Amino acid sequence: MFVFALAGVGYWQTGSPSLIRDAAPVAGAPATESTAAGAAGGQPALQQIEAMVGKLAEWMKANPDDAEGWMMLARSYAVLGRFAEAIPAYAHAAELQPDNASLLADYADAVAAPEQTANNPRSLALIERALTADPNHFKALALAGSAAFDRGEYTVAIAYWQKIADQLPPGSELAPRVQSMIADAREKLGAAGAATPLAAATPPASATKATTGTSVTGTVTLDPALAAQAAPGDSVFVFARAAAGSRMPLAVQRAQVKDLPLAFRLDDSMAMAPGMTLSSATQLTVGARISKSGTAIAQPGDLAGETTGIKPGASDVAIRIGTVVPKP
């Protein structure tokens, strides 16, 4: 399993990111008391921090609408390795600021720690929300890449991490570490004999420019026989992926059951990773899925439907949600 820790809470979007590989068993792994004490200047300092966190927790009981307070409390718990307390604090903050990419990425990281991987449904849903709010968010991209790596989707991991590398200024201290992550994924690809996906993971710059000229449009409907199994507020994911090769979505649109029947448009501007656009595929599989959990990863009991052999640029594509995702 590929492992790395994201350290320097709060710095990913403020110009001082730090990405540490092989420093902990998982992304966002909890700091032990000794490491926290060392970072804080020793055991007395740790006790002072815990005392301040306790006071903040009491203050939040009287000020439950303070999003910044919840974020501070959650991050403090995370630094102390108290993830069972950090996660509900992040949940409170996310209710108040549902489109805050940094908050959502930190929340996903906290969930990943006890799960031992970011490749879990709750973290993946949070990462997706973070990247929807900010497609270039460093920590969200790093976590998305880590989850893909843990799934064995090395090409996808490279694409996410390359998107970080492309944004780094010359001389960035983060650059060598990101390149090391990319190199590890390439080594895995090479060991698997995946020369073609490796080439696709690092396209020329001209291939990474998103254009809206290529699109797929159509309508999603729900089979009336399954209507009773869906609630109006359930999430609907409409997606397109290459008909052959990686199952990484090339474009995704999110809606709700109450929006059905849904007229959709997927285009190159919705690319989730560099070079992985609708126009990069010769044929597409286009589908839709109703998710009660709200996660983009299929779960047993979800309702789904898709059609394949669609060419980029197609219109009037009809997607009928008419099957139930079975248990593995």
Side-chain angles (χ1 to χ4, degrees), residues 200-235:
T202 54
S206 60
T208 67
K209 295 181 180 179
T211 64
T212 58
T214 299
S215 65
V216 174
T217 62
T219 304
V220 177
T221 58
L222 173 61
D223 188 329
L226 298 179
Q229 300 184 42
D234 288 348
S235 295

Side-chain angles (χ1 to χ4, degrees), residues 12-293:
W12 275 87
Q13 292 298 94
T14 58
S16 299
S18 175
L19 185 121
I20 304 174
R21 299 183 56 246
D22 300 325
V26 294
T32 63
E33 181 170 300
S34 60
T35 57
Q43 188 66 22
L46 176 61
Q47 293 174 344
Q48 291 176 357
I49 292 172
E50 290 180 331
M52 288 188 290
V53 171
K55 291 179 180 178
L56 178 57
E58 288 298 317
W59 191 84
M60 291 310 303
K61 292 179 182 179
N63 299 272
D65 296 329
D66 182 357
E68 295 294 330
W70 282 116
M71 283 189 280
M72 184 181 298
L73 180 61
R75 288 167 177 161
S76 297
Y77 281 141
V79 169
L80 293 171
R82 294 161 59 177
F83 287 92
E85 295 161 289
I87 291 170
Y90 276 124
H92 278 293
E95 288 178 359
L96 297 169
Q97 294 190 1
D99 298 321
N100 184 323
S102 293
L103 164 61
L104 293 169
D106 287 345
Y107 186 2
D109 201 12
V111 173
E115 294 286 344
Q116 297 295 296
T117 178
N119 186 37
N120 68 81
R122 194 173 177 188
S123 286
L124 290 170
L126 291 164
I127 292 166
E128 179 195 1
R129 287 173 58 189
L131 290 175
T132 298
D134 181 358
N136 295 317
H137 192 278
F138 280 10
K139 185 170 185 177
L141 289 169
L143 289 169
S146 175
F149 193 105
D150 286 352
R151 292 193 302 271
E153 296 181 0
Y154 305 119
T155 302
V156 176
I158 290 169
Y160 279 122
W161 293 333
Q162 186 63 47
K163 196 168 183 179
I164 298 174
D166 290 343
Q167 298 178 69
L168 294 174
S172 169
E173 64 180 17
L174 183 59
R177 300 179 186 183
V178 175
Q179 291 301 329
S180 178
M181 292 158 53
I182 293 172
D184 281 348
R186 287 179 173 173
E187 183 178 353
K188 290 286 187 180
L189 277 173
T196 299
L198 174 57
T202 54
S206 60
T208 67
K209 295 181 180 179
T211 64
T212 58
T214 299
S215 65
V216 174
T217 62
T219 304
V220 177
T221 58
L222 173 61
D223 188 329
L226 298 179
Q229 300 184 42
D234 288 348
S235 295
V236 177
F237 294 96
V238 186
F239 62 89
R241 66 172 183 267
S246 173
R247 294 178 63 84
M248 171 73 175
L250 303 177
V252 178
Q253 179 179 336
R254 185 170 185 165
Q256 291 183 310
V257 168
K258 65 183 179 183
D259 301 320
L260 298 174
L262 173 70
F264 70 89
R265 175 188 173 90
L266 304 172
D267 60 48
D268 279 359
S269 70
M270 298 176 178
M272 301 179 67
M276 301 184 72
T277 60
L278 290 181
S279 59
S280 69
T282 56
Q283 287 194 324
L284 302 165
T285 294
V286 182
R289 185 172 53 81
I290 296 175
S291 169
K292 287 189 174 295
S293 66

